[in-house]
Amino acid sequence: MKNSVSSRLTERTAAEVARTIYEPPMQGFDAPALERMCALNEAHAAMLAARGLIPADCARDILRGIAQIRAEGPAAIDLDPQFEDSYFAFENRLGQVAGKAVAGWLHVGRSRNDIGSTLDRMAARETCLALLAAMEEARRACLAAAGRHVLTVMPGYTHLQPAQPITFGYYLANVARGMEREHERLAAVLDRLDACPLGSAALAGTSFAIDRDETADLLGFAAPAAPGLDAVASRDFVTELLWAVTSAQVLFSRVAQDLYVFTTWEFGALTFPDRVAGTSSIMPQKKNMLPLEYFRAEAGRSIGALAGALAAVKGSNYSIGLDSVREGVADAWPAFARFEASLSLLRLIFETATPDAEKLLARCKANFSTATDLADGLVRDFGISFRDAHHVVGRAVQMVLAAGGGAEELTVAVLNEAAEAEIGRSFDLPEERLRRWMDPVEAVRARTVPGGTAPEVVSALLAGMEARLAADAELRARRSAALEAASERLASRVAQLTA
């Protein structure tokens, strides 16, 4: 039986080949994929007509056929894997609607290779814009939560041990800064993929006098992609986007791990509403923070997709091949969809996280997290080196711990005993001043340097990040508007040619 797409092949594609290689990607041909295919073909047909490369009546019939296929929807297209891919399936339907002799003109000056690369860039562009918008919502929620908790004092941790007092708002401000960078990485991918491969044909361009600038403009790209081999053979915009997504997932996993620990019974420092939790089928008391576990798992899945894509592509030739342009990056697209879905969950987490302010402040008072402030006070008021102050306070802490006490038991008497042992002197230090130095609230307020924990510093930082967020959102909106304008230009051109 004749091959469905080529007279070069004398046999029908083996069922095993069709089922394994061609069928899976064709099953993903949904409404958005159909719209991209229609727009690409309309732009190419309009350009061919404008350059006189196909007859006007032929362009008219092609464009009317595309309009009918768009109205019919994906279900009307025969996605038989014998057609190898969605483009040939689309061309088959166009031949049924407009006539095969007419539909065959549409392939002047192009190849499946540049079609596939252009469709992938169009899909990645849509994905980038959707991810940027969802990331902005999550950033907005994080900044709002940070603003609510600028005064909520809590222990800051290093190595998961109490370190210095911070606020929950300060912690979230740092998360928001990390999210800002992740947003920037996503936006950078959008900048680099903004070139149109259509017209590169198989890899070397075409001898037809096509207008690549026109097709790029009608599809909303900044310029044609060149040279042609790189334009069709590279999907590094997919792996770069997957890297950006994976980087963000790693950030979210680390934040989720912090919040996960804070919600445990042992920490008991953070709670979420019951609607943001799961339970147990056997243990009635359980409230499991499944959303936080989800982010840890998603980071691992994204890392796996990235490693798999790079491992597949690295062994391919620098040309067209299944491993370099399709199978090698197949796991990226589901990863993008899962990431977009997860961002609304992240927003919910920021909106509903509720720290136990009283418990957190009490812990700061008891866990020696203001020991650095005590050492700083000795340096400022008594003219000793910071290293000497560090040794004195360290010995004082050890003495209190050895006696089974907490930070409240570190008195002037204990401090002076430690000082005599370490540096051979004592300090004329009022107890009230020592208590002020060891007050977590005062410690937070004292850090007024840029990037510090003082409420006014954090509030100013948040204001700057809110302004950056607004600018990022405006730039994304302009990009989306530019694509809509290109779509309108294309629609107007099609209307003129089909009138």
Side-chain angles (χ1 to χ4, degrees), residues 380-452:
R380 278 194 301 266
D381 287 12
F382 296 98
I384 65 173
S385 74
F386 181 80
R387 188 55 54 213
D388 282 345
H390 187 281
H391 289 319
V392 169
V393 175
R395 179 180 281 257
V397 169
Q398 177 58 37
M399 291 166 59
V400 173
L401 290 173
E408 293 291 336
E409 281 72 48
L410 202 167
T411 62
V412 171
V414 172
L415 184 68
N416 278 331
E417 183 179 348
E420 289 287 357
E422 286 291 332
I423 60 175
R425 62 166 291 185
S426 61
F427 308 108
D428 183 13
L429 175 63
E431 196 74 36
E432 178 276 332
R433 193 188 309 172
L434 182 142
R435 297 270 67 87
R436 188 172 69 252
W437 287 347
M438 297 189 68
D439 182 351
V441 175
E442 291 296 325
V444 165
R445 290 175 178 168
R447 284 163 169 75
T448 58
V449 297

Side-chain angles (χ1 to χ4, degrees), residues 307-331:
L310 294 176
V313 174
K314 65 91 181 172
S316 65
N317 297 103
Y318 195 47
S319 183
I320 286 290
L322 282 183
D323 44 356
S324 60
V325 304
R326 197 179 80 188
E327 295 300 320
V329 296
D331 291 338

Side-chain angles (χ1 to χ4, degrees), residues 175-239:
V175 174
R177 181 64 88 196
M179 293 177 69
E180 189 178 272
R181 290 194 301 275
E182 303 302 346
H183 186 283
E184 186 176 359
R185 291 186 181 99
L186 291 170
V189 180
L190 185 58
D191 289 337
R192 276 189 281 275
L193 66 79
D194 192 17
C196 183
L198 197 61
S200 300
L203 79 167
T206 176
S207 59
F208 289 101
I210 62 174
D211 187 344
R212 296 192 63 203
D213 288 306
E214 181 178 8
T215 49
D217 177 71
L218 291 174
L219 292 175
F221 287 100
L229 172 58
D230 178 69
V232 301
S234 296
R235 295 297 189 275
D236 53 359
F237 57 91
V238 177
T239 52

Side-chain angles (χ1 to χ4, degrees), residues 134-135 137-139 141-142 179 249 252 255-256 259 272-273 275-278 288-298 337-353:
M135 179 75 89
E137 289 300 310
R139 285 169 62 190
C142 184
M179 293 177 69
Q249 291 281 34
F252 300 157
V255 174
L259 303 185
F272 288 88
R275 68 180 186 276
V276 192
N288 300 325
M289 289 313 303
L290 304 184
L292 300 177
E293 295 172 347
Y294 175 85
F295 280 101
R296 296 186 312 192
E298 275 304 298
R338 291 196 308 272
F339 180 64
E340 182 180 358
S342 75
L343 288 168
S344 63
L345 179 59
L346 183 65
R347 173 189 52 76
L348 179 65
I349 286 170
F350 289 138
E351 289 174 348
T352 58

